[in-house]
Amino acid sequence: MANAIRALAMDAVQKAKSGHPGMPMGMADVATVLFTRFLKFDPKRPDWPDRDRFVLSAGHGSMLLYALLHLTGYEDMTLEEIKNFRQLGSRTAGHPEYGAAGGIETTTGPLGQGFGNAVGMALAERLLNARFDDLVDHRTFVLASDGDLMEGISHEAAALAGHLRLNKLTVLFDDNEISIDGALSLADSVDQLKRFESYGWFVQRVDGHAPEAIEQALQAAVESDRPSLIACRTTIGFGAPKLAGTAKSHGSPLGEEEIAATRKQLGWPYEPFEIPDHILQAWRNVGAAGAESSGAWDKRFAELDEQTRREFQRRLDGEMPTSLGGAIAELKERVLAEKPKDATRKSSEMVLGALTRAIPEMVGGSADLTGSNNTKVEGQGVVSRDDFSGSYIHYGVREHAMAAAMNGMALHKGVVPYGGTFLVFSDYCRPAMRLSALMGLRVVYVMTHDSIGLGEDGPTHQPVEHLASLRAMPRLRVYRPCDTIETAECWELALRSGDRPSVLALTRQKLPTLRAEGVAENYCAFGAYILVPAERHRQVTLLASGSEVEIAVRARELLAEDGISAAVVSVPCWDLFLDQPAHYRDEVLGPSALRVAIEAASGFGWERWTTLDGVFVGMQGFGASAPYEDLYEHFQITPEAVVTKVKNWL
């Protein structure tokens, strides 16, 4: 059965003239034991909620996963798909892509990200188990390479998993001592078992080509009260007479001559892509056996009361409760009456207070900045190794792991994750944020201290290029609200966007309530709108986001004193503005008006709205350490500076 995996892997890579045959051939024995004796799954129901998750963190070895899916009977992983490996439009991309086929639990390839996803999946399982008992009771298995473990994210994710004692997480480490450059010893001499043991993991080493030993190790892992690492000593390219155990089998086809010799050495006398009936049937029997477990789960589900069934299904489907709209509207009415002057990070905390009551599946957290990000609200219990009934996670200073774990939680389904850090540290989250966008996951990144307005911490902590960089990422919505009303609206939009991630860029400094109307409608849904219209024929359009909208409003007043008519446009989300029809964009921007953009960040990209003939008032370099009022004066991001630039242009 393991040789069937090896044969499909080397044949598909050879036909594509591209790919990584070595890892699938080396880990075939381990994968066979896992799938035939431990993994709980049903190929006829790839999305069965209580299935075990199998994450191929070593995504370059994608043919291992594709072979397993085909052999066990996943209907959309046909032999034709295997033959079309790495070809345009196939389900068998060079690295596994979430949504391409049943059984692909996450998009992997950037090493370490799948590992982090798996920690999030295991965490989501524990959170839902605490709420729904044995309706959610499954394990997460990860196949990881030395590259996954060398990446820094693995340190963060493994430390978090050990701290929380995620005992239903098992990592199978392909310990083959080979990297792309050659022997692993060229660059690494870490004792991974000692390393993971220090995190609080249960660790074992096993011969990765000895099925009974692999089974014993997996059984011990399943019985452990800690997350488990099994270092599987394997031979990369196992079975290839000349290339086994060498870096040459890692990322290149073996070649026709070597494949023929491998077939002979493995005792596999079949043509390319041919799986003999008795071996295929043995694999299909493994897949068919899963129907018993999924059927037993159906029975448990049917025995629940109707309210519990509906609530569980709603969470799995990612549907927002009907109470969301009412909670936002009620909050907006209160804010319009009280007109608070708050930092938008504080506004976000106020909004979260309403949202977490209305949406019980929201699970928050912060990378050791809870008091700064304002991501924890009254009534949220803290998640710990002894109690998973809470909804707030202290991730520690682990932005990489937090972002990847949130992806895993979103992939698991049943929870809506949000997590906070400073906007400048979105750099640490960026690889996972990119995968959030690529997979279309509802993950909310709460990024506070969003400009030079954070003040005294200085240029190392003052984001300048980050808004432009994040706005450039496809399918990631970047929201920068100007007051509490907009913050509430942006949160609502982020939660209703079930097919993409969102960034909320929030201030440290206090901002006045600028909106005076619009409880019934979500103005931020337009991406940009006229906050304050011109008093007469518009000469100038002042475009701004976040904390700089207040500057635009004051600049408009000063311009009016000099007889210059200007309108203020708040631009909380570029992407949503782009989605509007051209006539709406023209109405908002003012086709014949001078367009001035104001943002305490890099001006890169604003010319899309101002045109090259427009004006930008913002940052031209990095920030400095000083009180934020002094910084705005120093960098000339003030109402007076705006007026001067407008007059000079006119």
Side-chain angles (χ1 to χ4, degrees), residues 487-500:
T487 303
E489 292 183 349
C490 290
W491 259 113
E492 181 181 19
L493 292 167
L495 291 172
R496 293 196 186 281
S497 299
D499 62 347
R500 67 193 62 218

Side-chain angles (χ1 to χ4, degrees), residues 309-557:
R309 291 200 308 271
R310 284 185 175 179
E311 177 64 10
F312 183 75
Q313 194 61 54
R314 181 190 68 77
R315 294 191 190 193
L316 283 187
D317 293 341
E319 294 180 2
M320 288 292 100
T322 55
S323 55
L324 170 58
I328 293 294
E330 181 181 340
L331 178 66
K332 287 165 67 176
E333 286 180 357
R334 189 169 82 244
V335 171
L336 280 176
E338 298 173 357
K339 292 183 169 48
K341 184 173 183 178
D342 282 322
T344 52
R345 61 171 176 156
K346 186 66 177 177
S347 301
S348 175
E349 181 183 12
M350 185 191 309
V351 177
L352 279 170
L355 292 178
T356 52
R357 290 191 296 271
I359 309 169
E361 64 267 35
M362 288 183 70
V363 176
S366 170
D368 198 46
L369 290 168
T370 296
S372 296
N373 300 147
N374 297 84
T375 41
K376 185 178 184 296
V377 298
E378 186 177 350
Q380 276 188 299
V382 172
V383 173
S384 72
R385 66 172 63 173
D386 300 315
D387 186 1
F388 288 93
S389 64
S391 61
Y392 194 81
I393 302 163
H394 289 287
Y395 287 101
V397 189
R398 300 185 181 108
E399 294 91 349
H400 294 277
M402 177 181 73
M406 288 197 295
N407 282 349
M409 295 164 75
L411 287 161
H412 182 281
K413 300 183 180 178
V415 297
V416 176
Y418 70 91
T421 187
F422 290 172
L423 181 61
V424 75
F425 300 138
S426 62
D427 286 339
Y428 292 171
C429 301
R430 189 177 179 87
M433 295 172 79
R434 186 173 187 271
L435 288 169
S436 300
L438 191 61
M439 291 187 274
L441 303 178
R442 176 169 45 204
V443 177
V444 183
Y445 299 93
V446 182
M447 302 290 186
T448 69
H449 297 61
D450 69 344
S451 74
I452 61 169
L454 70 88
E456 293 85 347
D457 276 346
T460 61
H461 282 54
Q462 293 167 4
V464 172
E465 74 279 17
H466 297 75
L467 286 169
S469 173
L470 293 171
R471 285 167 176 157
M473 189 181 293
R475 298 180 70 179
L476 174 68
R477 284 202 179 133
V478 179
Y479 297 98
R480 192 166 186 247
C482 74
D483 63 6
T484 304
I485 295 286
E486 283 198 356
T487 303
E489 292 183 349
C490 290
W491 259 113
E492 181 181 19
L493 292 167
L495 291 172
R496 293 196 186 281
S497 299
D499 62 347
R500 67 193 62 218
S502 301
V503 170
L504 292 172
L506 307 173
T507 68
R508 176 180 185 258
Q509 69 271 39
K510 293 183 178 182
L511 304 176
T513 299
L514 296 174
R515 279 274 289 278
E517 60 180 14
V519 170
E521 190 167 12
N522 189 321
Y523 287 3
C524 288
F526 296 102
Y529 63 96
I530 299 173
L531 177 69
V532 186
E535 292 182 355
R536 54 185 187 279
H537 177 70
R538 192 193 316 184
Q539 295 170 271
V540 180
T541 299
L542 301 173
L543 300 151
S545 75
S547 47
E548 286 69 66
V549 177
E550 177 188 13
I551 293 173
V553 171
R554 178 58 182 151
R556 175 189 174 278
E557 295 170 354

Side-chain angles (χ1 to χ4, degrees), residues 7 54 110 116 124-125 163 169 181 220 265 306 323-324 403 466 478 511-512 520 556 565 597 611 636 638:
F54 174 67
E125 188 274 342
H163 174 72
L169 173 65
D181 280 356
Q265 181 151 313
E306 184 177 354
S323 55
L324 170 58
H466 297 75
V478 179
L511 304 176
R556 175 189 174 278
S565 178
T611 75
Q636 298 183 49
T638 63

